[in-house]
């Protein structure tokens, strides 16, 4: 709003300036902020659509929608909590939102898929939502806590750089906490009040969609049974060979970095 006011002022006053003088804006940092905002919003929109489309191929469309809705809910919750920590919407906090976008919906996907599995077995949808959520509650919670632990050290960096960098963990941790609340309470509540597939009488177009889902799910199960499982059994049987292969790939990767084949630059000099 400040930048817009300055631009309006310049546009209004420029024609009235004496001959040979003019007004101009020397540097406009708001353009960088607008670009970062556009990146965050477009990434959030794209992430929601990708989650919705991919999950709709395997689960009910309504379930996929509620799972995908975890992205904006977690982000809005984090934005609402930022003033408590003295964090504003700026280039660094927006970067943190872009970073956390890719991991926000993981817990909701696990909970939603497990609830779907329980509901497909029949019975009361609400009870299936409760039991499905409780079954994966502990691993999902620890999955979020490990991510929080990975970002927490940034809260304790000293000096002025530490004051700036702490915005990243604050945004990430806030988003993850609200994502966990959404996946444990809000999502199961919505899924628990859904009608089971047996109670519905889908039209022809929905029958075609369910046929597509069955085809895709069957293809995935076929891949797991005939390709992945035999490969996994061989890898476990030849466990020392598997371990040696992993260590060899790790050694080659580290060699590529330390030898300069893959360059590492913490603060690259690039155009704004």
């Amino acid at each position: 709003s400040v930048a817009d006011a300055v631009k309006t002022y310049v546009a209004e006053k420029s024609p009235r300036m004496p001959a040979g003088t003019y007004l101009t804006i020397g540097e406009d940092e708001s353009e960088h902020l607008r670009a970062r905002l556009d990146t965050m919003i477009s990434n959030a929109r794209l992430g929601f659509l990708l989650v919705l489309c991919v999950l709709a191929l395997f689960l009910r469309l309504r379930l996929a929608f509620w799972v995908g809705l975890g992205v904006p809910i977690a982000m809005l919750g984090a934005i609402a909590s930022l003033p408590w920590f003295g964090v504003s919407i700026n280039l660094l906090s927006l970067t943190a939102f872009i970073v956390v976008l890719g991991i926000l919906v993981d817990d909701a996907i696990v909970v939603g898929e497990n609830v779907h599995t329980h509901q497909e077995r029949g019975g009361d949808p609400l009870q299936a939502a409760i039991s499905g959520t409780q079954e994966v509650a502990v691993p999902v919670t620890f999955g979020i806590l490990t991510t929080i632990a990975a970002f927490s050290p940034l809260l304790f960096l000293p000096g002025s750089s530490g004051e700036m960098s702490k915005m990243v963990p604050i945004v990430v941790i806030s988003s993850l906490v609200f994502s966990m609340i959404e996946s444990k309470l809000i999502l199961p509540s919505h899924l628990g009040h859904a009608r089971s597939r047996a109670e519905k009488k889908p039209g022809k177009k929905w029958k075609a969609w369910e046929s597509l889902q069955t085809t895709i799910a069957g293809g995935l199960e076929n891949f797991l049974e005939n390709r992945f499982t035999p490969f996994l059994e061989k890898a476990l049987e030849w466990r020392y060979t598997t371990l040696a292969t992993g260590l060899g790939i790790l050694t080659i990767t580290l060699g590529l970095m330390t030898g300069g084949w893959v360059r590492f630059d913490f603060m690259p000099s690039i155009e704004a």
Side-chain angles (χ1 to χ4, degrees):
S1 59
V2 173
D4 291 338
V6 171
K7 291 174 183 176
T8 301
Y9 177 86
V10 170
E12 291 176 352
K13 296 296 182 181
S14 290
R16 306 178 190 175
M17 298 298 292
T21 61
Y22 61 93
L23 294 175
T24 185
I25 298 175
E27 188 171 346
D28 185 7
E29 290 291 336
S30 70
E31 294 301 322
H32 304 317
L33 185 63
R34 291 183 198 276
R36 195 66 57 86
L37 272 170
D38 290 340
T39 300
M40 185 192 73
I41 293 171
S42 63
N43 283 6
R45 187 185 298 117
L46 184 60
F48 174 79
L49 291 176
L50 282 173
V51 169
L52 182 65
C53 292
V54 173
L55 290 182
L57 295 175
F58 299 94
L59 311 176
R60 293 194 302 273
L61 188 61
R62 185 177 184 273
L63 189 151
F65 170 77
W66 286 120
V67 171
L69 205 61
V71 174
I73 289 175
M75 291 187 66
L76 290 173
I79 290 172
S81 67
L82 290 186
W84 299 346
F85 303 104
V87 177
S88 64
I89 297 294
N90 53 63
L91 292 178
L92 206 56
S93 62
L94 290 177
T95 301
F97 274 115
I98 295 172
V99 168
V100 79
L101 265 175
I103 52 179
L104 271 184
V105 79
D106 293 357
D107 50 345
I109 291 176
V110 174
V111 172
E113 190 276 337
N114 204 50
V115 169
H116 173 76
T117 301
H118 279 254
Q119 290 180 339
E120 288 297 288
R121 296 171 184 169
D124 180 35
L126 181 59
Q127 185 56 45
I130 294 172
S131 57
T133 303
Q134 290 177 337
E135 190 174 63
V136 296
V138 173
V140 166
T141 300
F142 276 90
I144 294 175
L145 292 178
T146 53
T147 308
I148 290 176
F151 283 91
S152 295
L154 291 173
L155 290 169
F156 308 105
L157 293 180
S160 57
S161 60
E163 286 297 314
M164 291 183 61
S165 62
K166 75 176 183 180
M167 296 183 192
V168 175
I170 288 174
V171 170
V172 172
I173 293 172
S174 300
S175 301
L176 290 173
V177 168
F178 278 98
S179 178
M180 182 164 59
I181 294 172
E182 194 275 338
S183 67
K184 295 288 201 311
L185 301 176
I186 302 174
L187 177 63
S189 176
H190 285 135
L191 300 183
H193 291 88
R195 289 184 297 166
S196 65
R197 185 173 292 180
E199 296 174 350
K200 298 182 179 180
K201 296 180 180 179
K204 291 183 178 179
K205 60 179 181 179
W206 294 114
K207 286 183 179 179
W209 181 259
E210 288 188 4
S211 176
L212 175 63
Q213 285 182 318
T214 302
T215 302
I216 294 175
L220 179 61
E221 290 176 5
N222 179 67
F223 170 78
L224 291 174
E225 184 176 347
N226 299 319
R227 295 288 188 273
F228 178 72
T229 302
F231 174 79
L232 180 59
E233 290 174 349
K234 285 291 183 184
L236 292 174
E237 181 182 354
W238 295 84
R239 54 189 179 277
Y240 297 116
T241 304
T242 304
L243 179 62
T245 303
L247 291 174
I249 294 173
L250 176 63
T251 303
I252 293 172
T253 304
L254 294 175
L256 289 173
M257 291 186 63
T258 55
W261 292 90
V262 178
R263 196 165 60 89
F264 177 79
D265 195 346
F266 184 67
M267 295 292 288
S269 178
I270 58 174
E271 294 295 332

